[in-house]
Amino acid sequence: MSYSSEYRGRFAPSPTGHLHFGSLVAAVGSFLDARHHDGAWIVRMEDLDTPRCIPGAADNILRTLEAFGLYWDGEILYQSKRNAAYEDALQKLRGIGSAYPCCCTRKEIADSALHGIDGPVYPGACRNGIPSGRGSRAWRVRTDTSSFVRAKSAETVPEPAEACLPFDKHGAYGSTIELNDLLQGIVAQHLASEVGDFVVKRADGLFAYQLAVVVDDAFQNITHVVRGSDLLVSTPRQIYLQQLLGLTTPAYAHLPTAVNTRGEKLSKQTLAPPVAAAKPAATLMRALAFLRQEPPAELSNHDTDTVLKWAIAHWDMSRLKRVSAVVMPG
Ligand code: GLU
């Protein structure tokens, strides 16, 4: 199929379980935004974390998307087949002095790290080399170097990559990454102090989500990333990697996350039930209501194609501005 716009969106589920209502919302939101803009919608299977993947889950997710009429364009990209591309990116990061091997165990880090916005802030023990007698475990990316990488929206003129010093000429330490999320507004994160040097290749030899998602969004020429707000905390790391690797930053829109009455994200861990595919049109209507699209009630008497047709024509993402979570009662 060909599209008149350059828009390329995607849905990137991890096959660690069935599709639950929260992931359906992300699928529907990214699908509608793409189709409303006459763009392509791609599905990428993020089956990178093989120990967490469940046999049959990828196919199950794809069959569920079809049951809802959410048909994707082109081939499915499986991250489990993309190691060579991730290795290439890691070598590039090494080449510019941004990636380094780390021997620290989780316990060592937990014992000495400050708590950041997404777990412990790695204290940088291996930044200048691994102590003798210790083997390397993971690969990390430095976040303490000067602010030569800045979000496009920042006024500072980008400095060349040679400025790999702990402090830039203004005395700043590390980079503040700023993004203007289409829904959540301006988000700024000072990576060095809030996140720390983060893992791009894990101690078990698997590439980390942060690296893989950046490599694949660029490889698939994704222009718009529409996904759950639980991933907003990761986005500055992804933009930072894009800048280090010389990749284009797509537009981001983080949809509200479905949470239970305790404020926990609906997920496998919180025992969210599989999305009900028996009455797909009715479930789609619930997803549209969650996305504040106010579909006319009589639409629920129709099939999924009719519901989606209405939703594509009437899609108005601005109704979700600044909404980061929605409680799903019982
Ligand atoms: N695979 C991730 C998840 O299922 C989503 C990644 C993304 O959309 O960037 O949570």
Side-chain angles (χ1 to χ4, degrees), residues 125-138:
C126 293
R127 236 179 236 154
N128 299 314
I130 290 181
S132 63
R134 298 278 307 261
S136 105
R137 293 167 50 82

Side-chain angles (χ1 to χ4, degrees), residues 6 33 82 89 103 106 114 120 123-124 146 158 197 205-206 208 220 224 231 247 251 263 302 304 309 316 321 325:
E6 296 294 308
D33 201 53
R82 299 266 304 144
C103 70
R106 261 175 212 273
L114 293 173
S146 83
D197 296 357
L206 296 175
Q220 299 190 287
H224 290 72
L231 291 162
L247 304 172
H302 294 269
T304 53
K309 219 170 173 177
D316 177 6
K321 275 217 158 136

